[in-house]
Amino acid sequence: MKRFIAVMLSFAVMLVSVCSFAIAYADDGYVVKSDDIIAQQGEAVTVPLNLSGNNGLMGFKLTVEYPDGQLRLTNVSSGSLTADGLFNTTVTSYEAVKGSFDILWSNNAEVKGDGTLAVLTFSIKPTADNGEYNISVTYSQEDTFNEAFEDVRLNCKPIKVTVSDEITSKVTEKATAAKTDNENENKVSGDYLIASVEQIVQSFGTNDINSLTEEQQKTAMEYVNNRVDSYGGGKQYSDFDDLKEDYAEAVKTETVRKLFESADTEAIITTADEVLAEYGAKSFSELPDDKKQEAVEKALKMLAESGADEEGFQHIDSYDVAAVALDEAVKSARGEENITLTTSESGNSSKKKIEAIAIIAVLTALIFILILSVVLIIRRRKRNEKAE
């Protein structure tokens, strides 16, 4: 009996050790912070949420809170570490945000190294009072994990914003993200570049980047370069045509991504096959100009009716580019090209984490039952010895 009890206790200790290892937290040296901001009323400020000490991150959920009476949120974009994967926020309208919002990101592989999780843009309200305010960042533990589905603990630092109408020169609007040796270095995400270009273009009272004057083009490049610098470093523009080319490519890439993530792959393939068969072509790009516009519009209408997100095509100013975007989406649907992360893959990641948690919970329950059984056996043995 003693040998049996010893074996059972050893087994219980072994299971406890295994489970402790399974539910152990990942390295908690992950620090999320940004430089403090000093600005005047009416000024725009960029706040990159920089991550250092990153030994691996595959998903997170952040909550950002800010003084709504003093600041107005104008943009949220993905960062250098979150350029790939699914980056979402709870912001439905910047006008509707009242001091708090969430940022959610997940990928099908973890990212490592220092970089930027997200880039926030605020406008100091003209009516803001002089003083110091905090932008706080917190995270949801159950939604923040690495590739092994271990919980990652983030050390989130508050960001101090000083508002003063006595500032004669901008002390700092740029918060420089840590440079990194990994593959994300100097990689500005497409949605961040798009947001940067569209913000400055719209400030000139237009939505057409091609309508800017020479002076406006210089201002636009300076604005985008500053935003890129705040992002954590990246390509600087001295040629406006180069900026337009990168912007157009980013719009096309983001449009394809959103279309692919929102649409059923079979719907994309079926739509393309049906429309292209009608015009006797193998791709939208090879159609003659007089048929290309008609075919693209017909395909987009069919995809929209199936529930796909095709709004990004409204920002593409050329049917040639729109045709290329459609062809890329079709190739991805057929598996001929790879889209970094689909919605289903993200769901699978979450599902795997839930399954891992469920397994741990079952093991913990078994350990408890096992230990309780051992204790009862010992107590029963002692009672029998006393009775004898």
Side-chain angles (χ1 to χ4, degrees), residues 258-272 274-275 297-311 313 326 329 333:
K258 289 178 180 178
L259 176 64
F260 186 80
E261 289 176 352
S262 63
D264 181 87
T265 54
E266 288 301 319
I268 295 176
I269 295 172
T270 301
T271 297
E274 183 177 330
V275 174
E297 290 180 347
K298 183 174 293 187
L300 292 179
K301 182 179 179 181
M302 292 173 64
L303 287 170
E305 291 173 350
S306 70
D309 180 0
E310 41 70 57
E311 291 185 4
F313 283 90
L326 274 175

Side-chain angles (χ1 to χ4, degrees), residues 55-115:
N55 291 321
L57 187 64
M58 196 166 77
F60 65 78
K61 177 182 177 182
L62 300 177
T63 297
V64 179
E65 296 180 279
Y66 62 94
D68 181 58
Q70 318 301 327
L71 306 179
R72 182 172 67 87
L73 181 68
T74 59
N75 185 253
V76 182
S77 299
S78 59
S80 58
L81 293 175
T82 54
D84 295 328
L86 289 176
F87 182 90
N88 294 297
T89 73
T90 55
V91 177
T92 55
S93 166
Y94 290 114
E95 290 74 20
V97 182
K98 299 299 179 185
S100 177
F101 62 92
D102 296 335
I103 301 172
L104 304 95
W105 173 81
S106 63
N107 197 11
N108 58 354
E110 67 180 9
V111 294
K112 292 185 176 182
D114 298 347

Side-chain angles (χ1 to χ4, degrees), residues 41-346:
Q41 289 84 350
E43 205 173 335
V45 293
T46 302
V47 182
L49 300 181
N50 302 319
L51 174 64
S52 59
N54 175 27
N55 291 321
L57 187 64
M58 196 166 77
F60 65 78
K61 177 182 177 182
L62 300 177
T63 297
V64 179
E65 296 180 279
Y66 62 94
D68 181 58
Q70 318 301 327
L71 306 179
R72 182 172 67 87
L73 181 68
T74 59
N75 185 253
V76 182
S77 299
S78 59
S80 58
L81 293 175
T82 54
D84 295 328
L86 289 176
F87 182 90
N88 294 297
T89 73
T90 55
V91 177
T92 55
S93 166
Y94 290 114
E95 290 74 20
V97 182
K98 299 299 179 185
S100 177
F101 62 92
D102 296 335
I103 301 172
L104 304 95
W105 173 81
S106 63
N107 197 11
N108 58 354
E110 67 180 9
V111 294
K112 292 185 176 182
D114 298 347
T116 312
L117 297 179
V119 183
L120 319 178
T121 305
F122 294 93
S123 174
I124 309 297
K125 291 186 176 181
T127 57
D129 298 324
N130 289 343
E132 294 183 354
Y133 307 94
N134 278 339
I135 297 173
S136 71
V137 180
T138 55
Y139 74 104
S140 168
Q141 183 67 83
E142 64 181 355
D143 299 301
T144 305
F145 53 94
N146 62 17
E147 196 167 50
F149 295 100
E150 299 170 325
D151 288 334
V152 170
R153 291 188 289 186
L154 302 180
N155 182 4
C156 300
K157 305 291 187 180
I159 304 158
K160 185 172 71 175
V161 179
T162 301
V163 178
S164 174
D165 56 10
E166 297 179 357
I167 299 174
T168 56
S169 62
K170 183 183 295 184
V171 178
T172 175
E173 178 179 324
K174 303 174 184 178
T176 305
K179 297 296 182 180
T180 167
D181 294 329
N182 70 8
E183 63 182 3
N184 291 311
E185 185 174 9
N186 296 331
K187 181 182 179 181
V188 176
S189 65
D191 61 343
Y192 185 69
L193 179 61
I194 293 169
S196 301
V197 171
E198 291 182 351
Q199 282 180 6
I200 188 62
V201 169
Q202 289 171 8
S203 72
F204 295 126
T206 179
N207 291 317
D208 184 8
I209 190 174
N210 298 304
S211 66
L212 301 187
T213 65
E214 186 174 338
E215 190 62 32
Q216 288 173 335
Q217 291 177 8
K218 292 179 181 178
T219 301
M221 284 190 293
E222 181 180 357
Y223 177 83
V224 172
N225 286 339
N226 285 336
R227 289 264 293 171
V228 168
D229 193 35
S230 294
Y231 187 95
K235 183 177 181 179
Q236 296 289 300
Y237 295 95
S238 58
D239 186 322
F240 189 69
D241 287 337
D242 192 18
L243 173 59
K244 285 202 304 180
E245 183 178 337
D246 285 357
Y247 169 70
E249 180 63 26
V251 169
K252 186 194 73 174
T253 301
E254 289 301 306
T255 296
V256 172
R257 184 201 295 269
K258 289 178 180 178
L259 176 64
F260 186 80
E261 289 176 352
S262 63
D264 181 87
T265 54
E266 288 301 319
I268 295 176
I269 295 172
T270 301
T271 297
D273 287 346
E274 183 177 330
V275 174
L276 291 175
E278 180 180 343
Y279 290 92
K282 294 182 178 180
S283 70
F284 290 95
S285 300
E286 72 179 39
L287 287 168
D289 292 340
D290 61 332
K291 299 294 183 182
K292 187 175 296 181
Q293 177 177 346
E294 184 179 305
V296 167
E297 290 180 347
K298 183 174 293 187
L300 292 179
K301 182 179 179 181
M302 292 173 64
L303 287 170
E305 291 173 350
S306 70
D309 180 0
E310 41 70 57
E311 291 185 4
F313 283 90
Q314 297 175 11
H315 298 278
I316 297 178
D317 57 5
S318 164
Y319 279 99
D320 288 333
V321 177
V324 172
L326 274 175
D327 287 338
E328 289 184 4
V330 174
K331 288 180 180 179
S332 296
R334 295 187 191 280
E336 298 172 18
E337 288 187 3
N338 180 52
I339 293 292
T340 303
L341 179 66
T342 67
T343 303
S344 61
E345 288 172 331
S346 176

